[in-house]
């Protein structure tokens, strides 16, 4: 550990709300990114569900926005230690998107415009735990925060909530994504502080 | 490269928002003009934040150097360094870092320095290095700055320009210009590049430092003016100059 | 109207961390992008530091050159995006 810097505490605000271990509360919404912001015109945007190489469901923007949406209020936790509570979103539940999908696959790889991927068990996307979100805090989701649409799966560290989401591929074998393949935990439960490889 | 503990021996406010901090570091190996250090702050609970700052002082044999820190309104580290630290405080540094964005006195070609705001810092080290060895190598500086009050090292720049073998300095004001200034406030453009910088035919080495959008814009202008890409060296600052 | 420039720095910003792994200065090292073949100094790479780790991308084509993650106990680096790096060993 470094020498203590007199009077330095960083950006953190003390809080009396219960946060996952090692997290601090922020009022900002930091923008973290592994690459340039993709510019995705709505005319060409689509969201697909693929089983291996077969696309089994596809929506363009109009079809996607015609689906019933929800307005979840959730806490989000970033592996870089900031947490933001009671964030408000509008999005389509993954339960809605998977309504007509039958599969025996256990895992998904989430793909984004650009080259970002992340992986998780399929069951973590189901049961009211995940959305494809297109509005944040009452406004259209800004590109730097993942707009036109991002995955929102708040029970896991926020690197799993892939920005600029393009689709999910059902997988029989789990395949570590962009950060999971380089030292970040394959699952990422903030309450168990699963930040890194064990 | 390991972290070393230096001691702050002096602080000096350059402008309302920028402060220079002089550090003594016991086993400092010395530095080259253009290099930077990483500075790390640690809170009592072990949380740490680190940022990169260019060295502003000329290379020398003494184990002492100066950094200049610009305070960012929503910064995490810069408000602490520009407002909290005091003479006598320890400060952890790592460096010197960088072997590309560097000027060696042995270089004989014309040198073009282009600074955007606090991007002047490493270029100032180069100008101070040139002065320290009484070099006669031809230097030009194009310094893009918001307004006169934002000029860093104003006295030193005047002295360098006035010296007999001085560096030619052109100021480009982007928001507020001095009264009677010929050029209205504006960003650096092709016309100013043509007017104030070494012609590409002289094969200058160009050092461009500042925020990323500024550096990209200048690099494009320099290339359009005929400078080869490998004659243009760049260093990008950001509001988010985070290191681990 | 210019599109907003993304929030990247360059290879100079990654050099401090990479100095804990590489004995030679990385900023002056020349690297070839495995995706587009362009050869550039590592100082010119676009480095995204606002990340769980950092990512260095080719200034020409934006392909990932190198990824770096330092966790509590390990440093991991992956550089498949670089065909090679040439360091000055003098």
């Amino acid at each position: 550990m470094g020498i203590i810097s007199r009077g330095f505490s960083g950006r953190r605000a003390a809080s009396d709300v219960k946060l996952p271990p090692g997290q601090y509360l922020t009022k900002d919404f930091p923008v973290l990114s592994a690459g340039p912001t993709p510019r995705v015109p709505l005319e060409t945007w689509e969201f697909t569900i693929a089983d291996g190489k077969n696309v089994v469901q596809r929506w363009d923007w109009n079809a996607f926005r015609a689906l019933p949406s929800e307005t979840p209020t959730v806490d989000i936790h970033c592996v870089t230690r900031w947490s933001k509570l009671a964030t408000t979103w509008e999005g389509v539940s993954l339960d809605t998107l998977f309504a007509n999908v039958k599969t025996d696959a256990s895992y998904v790889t989430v793909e984004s415009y650009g080259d970002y991927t992340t992986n998780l068990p399929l069951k973590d996307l189901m049961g009211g735990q995940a959305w494809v979100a297109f509005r944040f805090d009452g406004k259209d989701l800004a590109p730097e925060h993942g707009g036109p649409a991002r995955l929102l799966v708040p029970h896991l560290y926020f690197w799993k909530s892939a920005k600029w989401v393009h689709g999910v591929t059902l997988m029989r074998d789990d395949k570590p994504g962009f950060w999971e393949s380089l030292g970040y935990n394959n699952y990422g439960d903030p309450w168990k502080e699963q930040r890194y490889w064990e | 490269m390991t972290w070393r503990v230096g001691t702050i021996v002096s602080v000096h406010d350059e402008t309302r928002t920028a402060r220079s901090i002089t550090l003594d570091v016991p086993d400092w190996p010395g530095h080259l003009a253009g290099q930077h250090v990483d500075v790390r702050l640690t809170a009592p609970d072990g949380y740490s934040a680190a940022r990169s700052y260019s060295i502003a002082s000329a290379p020398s044999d003494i184990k002492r150097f100066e950094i200049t820190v610009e305070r960012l309104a929503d910064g995490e580290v810069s408000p602490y360094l520009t407002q909290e630290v005091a003479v006598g405080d320890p400060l952890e540094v790592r460096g010197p870092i960088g072997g590309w964005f560097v000027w060696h006195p042995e270089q004989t070609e014309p040198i073009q320095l282009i600074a955007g705001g606090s991007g002047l810092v490493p270029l100032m080290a180069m100008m101070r290095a040139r002065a320290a060895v009484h070099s006669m190598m031809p230097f030009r500086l194009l310094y893009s700055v918001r307004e006169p009050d934002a000029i860093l090292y104003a006295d030193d720049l005047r002295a360098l320009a006035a010296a007999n073998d001085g560096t030619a300095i052109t100021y480009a004001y982007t928001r507020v210009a001095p009264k009677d200034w010929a050029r209205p406030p504006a960003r650096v453009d092709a016309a100013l590049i043509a007017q104030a910088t070494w012609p590409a035919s002289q094969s200058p080495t160009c050092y461009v430092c500042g925020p990323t959008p500024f550096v990209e814009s200048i690099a494009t202008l320099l290339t359009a003016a005929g400078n080869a890409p490998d004659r243009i060296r760049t260093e990008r600052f950001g509001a988010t100059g985070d290191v681990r | 109207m210019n599109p907003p420039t993304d929030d990247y720095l360059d290879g100079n910003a990654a050099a401090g961390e990479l100095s804990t792994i590489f004995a030679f200065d990385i900023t002056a090292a020349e690297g070839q992008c495995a995706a587009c073949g362009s050869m550039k100094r590592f100082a010119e790479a676009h480095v995204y530091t606002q990340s769980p780790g950092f990512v260095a991308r080719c200034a020409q084509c934006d392909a990932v050159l190198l990824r770096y993650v330092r966790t509590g106990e390990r440093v991991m680096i992956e550089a498949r995006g670089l065909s090679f790096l040439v360091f000055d060993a003098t």
Side-chain angles (χ1 to χ4, degrees), chain A residues 88-90 135-141:
Chain A
T88 57
W89 302 81
E90 185 180 347
R135 285 176 75 77
F136 167 72
D137 197 28
K139 295 186 271 286
D140 288 345
L141 187 61

Side-chain angles (χ1 to χ4, degrees), chain C residues 26-37:
Chain C
I26 196 162
T27 62
E30 286 190 87
Q32 181 173 58
C33 173
C36 76

